[in-house]
Amino acid sequence: MDDQTATANLGGIRKNINIALVDDLQVGDYVILHVGVALKKLDQEEADKTLALFGELEALEHAQGHESTP
């Protein structure tokens, strides 16, 4: 792995990502990721809000899936 590649944890799945566009990343930092490229570093508050929104979306999708099941 080179200095422009890092391993990201995506909900328990580990993927190598390109970090060339984001400076000063440290282990444990959160980033906005698109097609394997880190686009922006998030502070903890932004990351918490974003993860909460994804959790709400997942819960809605799960609920809708059960409603359509006979």
Side-chain angles (χ1 to χ4, degrees):
M1 202 172 331
D2 60 35
D3 63 344
Q4 294 187 354
T5 305
T7 301
N9 182 337
L10 308 168
I13 298 170
R14 294 183 173 272
K15 295 281 186 175
N16 289 334
I17 63 168
N18 183 297
I19 58 170
L21 300 177
V22 183
D23 293 327
D24 301 322
L25 286 178
Q26 302 296 319
V27 172
D29 285 343
Y30 289 91
V31 296
I32 297 293
L33 183 65
H34 180 65
V35 294
V37 178
L39 300 176
K40 178 185 175 188
K41 181 177 173 179
L42 298 176
D43 63 32
Q44 189 65 50
E45 183 179 349
E46 287 178 300
D48 290 342
K49 287 179 184 178
T50 302
L51 291 171
L53 287 172
F54 279 120
E56 289 177 24
L57 179 60
E58 184 178 358
L60 284 171
E61 289 175 344
H62 183 72
Q64 288 176 345
H66 285 313
E67 289 174 6
S68 62
T69 304

